[in-house]
Amino acid sequence: MISLQELQQEVAVWSAENFGDQPSYRPLLGVQEEIGELAHAHLKAEQGIRGTAAEHLAAKKDAIGDLIIFLTDYCSREMISLQECVEEAWAEVKLRDWVANKVDGLTQA
């Protein structure tokens, strides 16, 4: 198992070797492309067309993996810790209770 921090370090090295000092908007555009691929795979699976269930699942998994790689590269190029982003966001999100509070998900103190 690889941590997000380790992944970010490895992706940064790989990306620098393969793409040099490219601007951060390029991996960000890759994120957008992969979101489209994930949405496409999900839609076609839901419609039951253009492939088998196994093919759609494989396409979804590929898009998700690529999304993480592109986000990791973007974070490195922006000097942002992906690990910190995920930990900080999860610390906030896990406190929300949308069943108890449908307005903002915040629990009452």
Side-chain angles (χ1 to χ4, degrees), residues 2-9 68 72 82-84 86-87:
I2 189 170
S3 72
L4 293 176
Q5 184 177 2
E6 292 168 327
L7 177 65
Q8 188 165 357
Q9 291 168 349
I68 299 301
T72 301
L82 181 63
Q83 185 80 41
E84 286 179 19
V86 172
E87 288 176 359

Side-chain angles (χ1 to χ4, degrees), residues 7-8 11-12 14-15 19 22-35 37 62-78 82:
L7 177 65
Q8 188 165 357
V11 169
W14 173 85
S15 183
F19 304 109
Q22 72 174 343
S24 62
Y25 73 83
R26 288 192 181 152
L28 183 58
L29 291 174
V31 169
Q32 294 174 322
E33 177 186 19
E34 294 301 330
I35 285 286
E37 289 183 16
D62 179 68
I64 291 166
D66 290 346
L67 273 165
I68 299 301
I69 301 303
F70 276 120
L71 278 172
T72 301
D73 190 16
Y74 174 81
C75 286
S76 292
R77 291 176 185 281
E78 288 291 315
L82 181 63

Side-chain angles (χ1 to χ4, degrees), residues 15 27 30 32 41 56 60 62 81 83-85 88 103-104 108:
S15 183
Q32 294 174 322
H56 293 310
K60 290 176 192 178
D62 179 68
S81 167
Q83 185 80 41
E84 286 179 19
C85 291
E88 290 171 10
V103 174
D104 61 11
Q108 305 304 317

